Amino acid sequence: MTARMKIAILDDYQNVATSFADWDTLDAETVVFTQPFADTDEVVRRLAGFDVLVAMRERTPFPAGVLARLTNLRLLVSTGPANAAIDVKAARDLGITVCGTGYFSHPTAEHTWALILGAARNLLDEASSMRTGGWQVSIGTGLHGKTLGLLGLGGLGTQVAHIGRAFGMTPIAWSQNLSAEKAAEQGVRAVTKEQLFAQSDVLSIHLVLSNRTRGLVGAADLRSMKPTAILVNTSRGPIIDEDALFETLREGRIHRAAIDVFDTEPLPGGHRLRSLPNALLTGHVAYVTRELYETFYQDAVEDIAAFRAGAPLRLME
């Protein structure tokens, strides 16, 4: 390793990483990249020569082919405890250490409810009307007494369910491995996938993206939803068939979709989803809070210092 480490902080879209941790303690050359890379060739070209990379979640993929071309790379730190976009085995085979950071999920649960409430009460339309001199322009949808559907009942889905009950909603859930007993422990009723889509007034997705969940929500599922239903996704875009989602919204088959995650990120400026009046969109910000960024970047600095001292922390497997 070079006498003075070269560190790249990746995908810092808002250029805030250096304000959340004391990078100067590392006495290293630190470069911040605020824009996403166009392709793998640009990743390799721009990151050649760096000893350490700090990746923000899954914004930049690191498959085996890319890692093999980054011949100076010795440490790859990812925010969060796991990263499906990093080939950890390939990194290990290449002698690259991969470390994670701390994480907590309640910011995503909070943003899920921001989207639910924003969609139900037409907040974007109402705020736009007020900003342009108008007044009431819509009629909202109440949540009390309605059915909250959860596609996935892990830690995050459970948090969303608990908040739903505080609003007077009845939570139901389905996932491939969910049992009636496990659901009942959280005060949730387990249903079939078909029942979940047909009965939910609000349906919120809380699954990890995998081969089993990619494209799990298809055209038939969306067609079976109530025309008054709201679909929310703060998990991963490819869980929903994007073509089917667009057609469902374009045809007005459901009331609204509130979406924070997309197949391609950042979402291209002219993307067709941006044009839909019944799509409430945010740019994968569900986890983006001051508190979580402090955890991410302070732990990243700690990981780098520990690696340099020969005792790496939070190793990814």
Side-chain angles (χ1 to χ4, degrees), residues 1 17 23 37 39 41 48 58 79 87 94 112 117-118 124 129 151 154 159 166 186 231 239 252 275 278 283 307:
M1 183 176 291
W23 298 86
F37 301 112
D39 51 37
D41 287 338
E58 296 161 5
T79 57
D87 189 331
L94 291 164
T112 296
L117 293 168
L124 184 59
S129 175
L151 185 59
Q159 289 181 59
Q186 303 301 332
L231 175 68
I239 294 172
S275 67
N278 53 351
F307 172 78

Side-chain angles (χ1 to χ4, degrees), residues 86-144:
I86 297 174
D87 189 331
V88 177
K89 180 181 184 303
R92 187 164 53 244
D93 292 343
L94 291 164
I96 300 168
T97 300
V98 183
C99 297
T101 71
Y103 174 77
F104 41 84
S105 62
H106 49 264
T108 300
E110 293 166 0
H111 191 74
T112 296
W113 277 101
L115 290 175
I116 293 171
L117 293 168
R121 301 308 295 266
N122 305 311
L123 288 188
L124 184 59
D125 295 338
E126 293 295 345
S128 296
S129 175
M130 292 296 289
R131 189 175 294 276
T132 56
W135 195 238
Q136 296 179 3
V137 293
S138 67
I139 299 174
T141 299
L143 299 176
H144 187 85

